[in-house]
Amino acid sequence: TVDGRIVGAAGHTFIGPGHGKTPLLGVLPEFGNLGIGRALQDRRVEAMAAHGATKITTNADRPGTISWYKRNWGYREVGRLPKVHSFGDDAVDHWTTLEMDVRAWLEQPGTQADGTP
């Protein structure tokens, strides 16, 4: 929140033992590029890890978002799903499915769980 206004939100769930899923993440455009999205993603990965997640799956349709997940959390592409509803970038007819190895990310310097301030 900024001055009591919600400017970003993120969700997560589990789709199986040790398998987390991140269904949504959004930040108001006027608050973009301030690190809010990254902080939300970091916190939800840490929360899922604390509850036993070893793998996290997400779907994205924008090339910039896909590369953001790969660059910052080590996600890799594992498949594609056709879109069944209009959501995200309407010019893209599929979701790119990405997975991350939670343990590998947590071992990287700079993550909360590695003990770095």
Side-chain angles (χ1 to χ4, degrees):
T1 61
V2 174
D3 296 329
R5 180 178 178 203
I6 296 173
V7 299
H12 65 275
T13 189
F14 278 82
I15 57 177
H19 191 170
K21 171 84 168 116
T22 56
L24 64 101
L25 186 147
V27 177
L28 292 175
E30 61 267 34
F31 292 91
N33 297 318
L34 298 176
I36 296 169
R38 182 177 178 115
L40 289 169
Q41 173 68 5
D42 284 347
R43 296 304 84 76
R44 68 183 179 175
V45 169
E46 291 163 0
M48 285 186 283
H51 287 94
T54 58
K55 174 173 63 173
I56 298 174
T57 301
T58 197
N59 293 298
D61 62 350
R62 293 180 173 97
T65 303
I66 293 166
S67 66
W68 181 73
Y69 278 118
K70 289 177 173 181
R71 184 175 60 253
N72 293 297
W73 295 278
Y75 278 87
R76 60 185 177 80
E77 292 184 34
V78 296
R80 291 184 174 193
L81 297 170
K83 287 185 179 180
V84 295
H85 300 289
S86 178
F87 188 77
D89 185 346
D90 287 334
V92 180
D93 67 354
H94 65 277
W95 296 103
T96 298
T97 302
L98 304 156
E99 282 185 359
M100 75 173 284
D101 178 336
V102 176
R103 289 182 213 142
W105 180 77
L106 289 172
E107 292 172 359
Q108 293 179 5
T111 62
Q112 289 284 72
D114 78 347
T116 305

